[in-house]
């Protein structure tokens, strides 16, 4: 069932304005659970938001323990959020493992192609963007993933 246009407008606006809201929205849509507001999670999301919206953070090193959401927030959600805000945005995703980089690229693309994302932002990958390594949107944005 299609979302009420007024709710879609508000959800899209709130997602674009707030990376925290974007994360909460898509975690709820994907898992039917609420985002747990741990201090480190909120600090990570706030800092990533500043990276995208303010020119004050030009370099960022994220150093937290494994399995606490670095990839989910700093790679998958962050890149998808930036592409939602600017479909022409381009990213290079580097990882120690080629397999991990390609897996993350695939997860970003899957999020962008999800019904929930498409309902708010009808952004499509180019027809020739079948690769996990390199894919672009019709607006020229996209991801290059490698080790």
């Amino acid at each position: 069932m299609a979302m009420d246009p007024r709710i879609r407008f508000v959800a899209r606006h709130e997602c674009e304005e707030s990376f925290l809201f974007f994360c909460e929205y898509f975690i709820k849509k994907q898992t039917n659970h609420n985002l747990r507001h741990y201090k480190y999670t909120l600090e990570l999301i706030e800092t990533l938001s500043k990276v995208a919206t303010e020119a004050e953070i030009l370099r960022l090193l994220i150093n937290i323990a494994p399995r606490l959401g670095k990839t989910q927030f700093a790679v998958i959600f962050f890149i998808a959020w930036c592409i939602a805000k600017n479909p022409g945005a381009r990213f290079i995703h580097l990882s120690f493992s080629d397999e991990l980089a390609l897996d993350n690229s695939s997860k970003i693309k899957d999020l962008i192609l999800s019904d929930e994302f498409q309902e708010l932002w009808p952004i499509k990958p180019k027809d020739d963007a079948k690769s996990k390594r390199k894919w672009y949107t019709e607006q020229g944005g996209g991801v290059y993933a490698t080790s």
Side-chain angles (χ1 to χ4, degrees):
M1 177 164 50
M3 184 185 289
D4 180 310
R6 295 168 295 182
I7 294 171
R8 181 183 314 113
F9 177 82
V10 171
R12 179 179 173 151
H13 175 76
E14 290 297 320
C15 281
E16 289 176 1
E17 291 297 312
S18 168
F19 184 45
L20 175 60
F21 187 89
F22 180 93
C23 294
E24 291 171 331
Y25 184 86
F26 282 97
I27 285 174
K28 184 69 171 177
K29 291 289 187 180
Q30 290 177 338
T31 67
N32 205 29
H33 291 96
N34 293 323
L35 172 66
R36 293 194 175 140
H37 289 178
Y38 298 119
K39 183 179 179 194
Y40 69 87
T41 303
L42 296 175
E43 285 183 22
L44 176 60
I45 290 169
E46 179 183 344
T47 303
L48 288 166
S49 181
K50 289 178 182 178
V51 168
T53 59
E54 302 172 18
E56 70 184 59
I57 299 176
L58 302 176
R59 292 179 185 89
L60 176 64
L61 176 66
I62 300 168
N63 189 10
I64 58 177
R67 312 293 308 158
L68 292 179
K70 288 187 301 289
T71 301
Q72 185 69 37
F73 297 114
V75 178
I76 299 164
F77 282 173
F78 182 73
I79 292 175
W81 180 61
C82 290
I83 289 175
K85 292 167 62 75
N86 176 7
R90 291 186 175 193
F91 293 86
I92 297 174
H93 173 51
L94 300 172
S95 177
F96 72 93
S97 160
D98 201 47
E99 185 178 330
L100 181 60
L102 298 179
D103 186 48
N104 290 339
S105 174
S106 180
K107 288 178 182 177
I108 298 162
K109 194 172 169 184
D110 288 347
L111 175 59
I112 289 171
L113 290 173
S114 71
D115 293 340
E116 296 84 12
F117 191 97
Q118 288 295 307
E119 192 162 37
L120 301 180
W121 304 280
I123 297 169
K124 303 283 189 225
K126 286 184 174 180
D127 288 338
D128 63 353
K130 305 282 188 251
S131 169
K132 292 180 183 180
R133 183 167 309 281
K134 181 170 63 172
W135 56 268
Y136 295 105
T137 65
E138 292 175 343
Q139 295 83 358
V143 173
Y144 178 73
T146 191
S147 60

